[in-house]
Amino acid sequence: MEQINVGLIGYNFMGRAHSNAYRQVPFYFPEVAAKPVMKAICGRTKERVDACAEQFGWESVEYDVDDLLARDDIDLVDITVPNNMHADVAIRAIEAGKHVICEKPLATTVEDAERMVEAANKAGCVNMLCHNYRRAPAISLAKQMIENGDLGEIYHWRSLYLQDWLMSPDVPMMWRVEKEIAGSGSLGDLMAHSIDLALWLLGEPGRPGRRGRPDGHGGCRRRRRRPLPLRQRRAGDDGGHALCGRAQELQLVRGERLEGLAGV
């Protein structure tokens, strides 16, 4: 089996989550073509980086990003630092010849995001934004059903992402609620997942009047006739709309819901 030597930048909440994920890959996915090797973890606070490395089993520790990027034994750089650092660290990693995984949101400005994409395209490196809900079992099933045409033509996407742990007065102040660092608050932190799932499942939005396809070619078509409101649906209509025939509805994770026509 091939191996990928990973260098992780960041050791707090997401750094620990990614560390645990790398540890679990060989056990839950023994069929993978390449095994991740936890080569090095990098962070600025020595005591906390050392503790994280010892707890999760990282082979070595670096305290400066440049030292990590200069290493020849690092193939992939995983970026879990605060949002306002994503662009700088990712571009430096790409220019150092590394493949890159970056936590979402990609950047705090469109300009920075475009610079990151340009650098990755120029270098030809493997790169990925960590929208992990794509691999949730319910989402995988939904994508399969859409591609099979089980839901018919998709006409409605509804998404909610509810999270309340920051509401507690006992939660200490953190960078996620500082605009200068986080950039976009809950819109970028939470709804980035919902927006990505919409694009992942339904494809890019098409032009008005263009027929959408469930395989992502052309995106969602803008319907000329709106479905009737709930109060106007006929009793015993099997969940369908009076003007739109029988509807199939699929409930996903965290409040996402897809509705599509199955035989009009």
Side-chain angles (χ1 to χ4, degrees):
M1 177 183 293
E2 295 186 10
Q3 296 183 337
I4 299 176
N5 293 334
V6 179
L8 175 68
I9 305 177
Y11 52 84
N12 279 323
F13 174 64
M14 288 314 303
R16 297 169 70 84
H18 285 219
S19 296
N20 181 60
Y22 287 124
R23 282 173 56 89
Q24 302 304 328
V25 166
F27 303 105
Y28 286 95
F29 306 100
E31 71 279 6
V32 295
K35 175 185 176 181
V37 177
M38 300 170 67
K39 208 66 176 178
I41 184 171
C42 179
R44 294 177 295 187
T45 306
K46 184 179 185 305
E47 295 77 12
R48 299 185 67 180
V49 181
D50 290 346
C52 187
E54 181 178 358
Q55 178 181 1
F56 290 97
W58 289 94
E59 294 183 8
S60 61
V61 176
E62 298 290 350
Y63 307 108
D64 188 284
V65 171
D66 289 331
D67 293 337
L68 179 73
L69 299 182
R71 291 177 52 162
D72 294 331
D73 61 344
I74 300 298
D75 304 314
L76 169 69
V77 172
D78 187 348
I79 301 170
T80 66
V81 297
N83 301 347
N84 65 336
M85 300 173 64
H86 286 182
D88 177 65
V89 175
I91 292 173
R92 288 162 63 189
I94 292 169
E95 291 176 346
K98 313 300 183 186
H99 303 297
V100 171
I101 294 178
C102 185
E103 261 297 338
K104 55 82 201 163
L106 183 60
T108 55
T109 68
V110 173
E111 292 75 19
D112 279 348
E114 289 175 342
R115 290 195 301 116
M116 296 167 74
V117 172
E118 181 181 0
N121 288 337
K122 181 179 179 180
C125 68
V126 176
N127 60 93
M128 187 183 84
L129 187 59
C130 192
H131 282 135
N132 55 298
Y133 284 111
R134 289 187 177 194
R135 303 306 177 190
I139 299 299
S140 295
L141 176 61
K143 188 170 181 63
Q144 180 180 349
M145 293 178 69
I146 292 171
E147 291 175 348
N148 290 341
D150 296 336
L151 299 179
E153 181 184 350
I154 304 301
Y155 66 84
H156 182 215
W157 163 266
R158 178 177 182 268
S159 179
L160 296 174
Y161 195 125
L162 305 178
Q163 194 175 87
D164 65 355
W165 60 275
L166 273 174
M167 297 297 293
S168 172
D170 297 326
V171 175
M173 183 66 176
M174 61 184 66
W175 64 262
R176 291 179 183 275
V177 293
E178 295 186 37
K179 184 176 181 180
E180 294 76 13
I181 300 176
S184 56
S186 59
L187 185 63
D189 198 24
L190 304 182
M191 289 307 295
H193 283 299
S194 297
I195 295 171
D196 177 69
L197 289 182
L199 297 175
W200 171 245
L201 292 173
L202 306 179
E204 296 287 339
R207 296 189 300 272
R210 180 178 178 180
R211 183 171 180 79
R213 293 177 53 86
D215 56 9
H217 298 293
C220 298
R221 179 167 65 94
R222 182 176 296 177
R223 295 185 56 79
R224 294 181 179 179
R225 295 186 297 180
R226 294 183 179 180
L228 291 179
L230 180 62
R231 64 179 181 274
Q232 292 181 258
R233 296 181 185 176
R234 296 195 300 263
D237 208 14
D238 193 27
H241 300 297
L243 292 181
C244 299
R246 185 169 61 86
Q248 295 287 347
E249 181 178 301
L250 182 64
Q251 191 77 32
L252 306 178
V253 294
R254 291 195 180 274
E256 286 84 4
R257 187 174 68 188
L258 283 169
E259 294 180 359
L261 300 180
V264 274

